[in-house]
């Protein structure tokens, strides 16, 4: 039995009840369902706490994909959780919220820079995408104006599922050359941002682009002859990371 991925349908949920189904080595705890996002697609695994019925807070240091569709939560080795026990899962929301805003902003960046993505990474402080630009060039001020406009337009962010066969028939939907779309059970999760972006993605996102807030292009760096690394960071003067 695999872990039900509650963060997929409930990206804004911060707390939920789950039942321990297995405990493993290194403090690993598996539950029947989880709000904790496991590291993948450039987005870090969630941190937070599991709260026991008698009110103890057990820190979760990291979350990874385990075997057979399980999600592995890394607690302190030596915890006393056992299968069958109920826990309240509470994610480190400020950190996850920053990941969701940053992740969504990187989708917007891929709209503004319509070239193949060769790499990327999402952090709470900074996020980046590497593009294979070929002979094209990008300009920081133009990108910042574009990003600001896409955020202000408040496009809705939604997700849906299509079949692997449907995606295979439309290879142009895959922008990321370095990361294969998450596959399983014949279905692919697609993320749609208004009518501007539609691509396979298994991560967590805000629900409308205005929630991205005050992010800007911090740097554009050469990574070889064809590649450019574009890094986003929070505005210091505005709302910051709040
Ligand atoms: Zn995404």
């Amino acid at each position: 039995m695999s872990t039900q991925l509650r963060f997929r349908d409930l990206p804004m949920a911060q707390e939920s009840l789950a039942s321990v189904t297995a405990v493993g080595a290194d403090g690993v705890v598996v539950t029947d369902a989880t709000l904790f996002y496991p590291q993948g697609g450039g987005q870090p695994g969630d941190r937070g706490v599991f709260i026991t019925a008698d009110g103890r807070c057990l820190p979760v240091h990291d979350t990874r994909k385990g075997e057979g569709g399980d999600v592995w939560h890394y607690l302190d080795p030596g915890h006393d959780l056992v299968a069958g026990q109920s826990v309240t899962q509470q994610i480190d929301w400020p950190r996850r919220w920053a990941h969701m805003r940053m992740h969504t902003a990187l989708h917007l960046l891929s709209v503004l820079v319509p070239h193949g993505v060769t790499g990327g990474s999402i952090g709470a402080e900074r996020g980046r995408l590497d593009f294979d630009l070929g002979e094209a060039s990008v300009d920081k001020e133009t990108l910042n104006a574009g990003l600001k406009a896409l955020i202000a337009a408040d496009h809705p962010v939604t997700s849906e599922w299509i079949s692997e066969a449907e995606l295979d028939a439309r290879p142009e939907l895959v922008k990321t050359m370095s990361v294969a779309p998450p596959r399983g059970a014949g279905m692919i999760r697609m993320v749609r941002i208004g009518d501007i972006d539609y691509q396979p993605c298994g991560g967590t996102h805000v629900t409308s682009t205005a929630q991205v807030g005050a992010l800007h292009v911090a740097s554009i760096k050469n990574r070889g002859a064809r590649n450019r690394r574009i890094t986003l960071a929070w505005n210091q003067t505005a709302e910051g990371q709040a």
Side-chain angles (χ1 to χ4, degrees), residues 41 43 103-104 107 122 189 191 197 199-205:
Q43 184 175 333
H103 187 141
T104 308
H107 279 252
I122 295 157
R189 182 174 186 255
V191 170
D197 187 48
Q199 60 175 299
C201 188
T204 59
H205 311 78

Side-chain angles (χ1 to χ4, degrees), residues 169-240:
R170 298 176 65 190
E172 73 278 4
L173 292 177
V174 180
K175 294 183 176 184
T176 309
M177 299 149 79
S178 57
V179 182
R183 287 175 184 256
M187 300 299 284
I188 298 280
R189 182 174 186 255
M190 300 295 294
V191 170
R192 186 187 291 281
I193 303 183
D195 56 0
I196 59 170
D197 187 48
Y198 183 59
Q199 60 175 299
C201 188
T204 59
H205 311 78
V206 297
T207 57
S208 78
T209 61
Q211 293 170 348
V212 168
L215 273 172
H216 70 284
V217 175
S219 65
I220 301 172
K221 286 181 178 154
N222 289 348
R223 305 282 296 176
R226 301 171 55 93
N227 280 268
R228 297 291 178 278
R229 170 164 294 180
I230 305 181
T231 300
L232 302 183
W234 303 100
N235 297 357
Q236 295 301 322
T237 49
E239 57 181 309

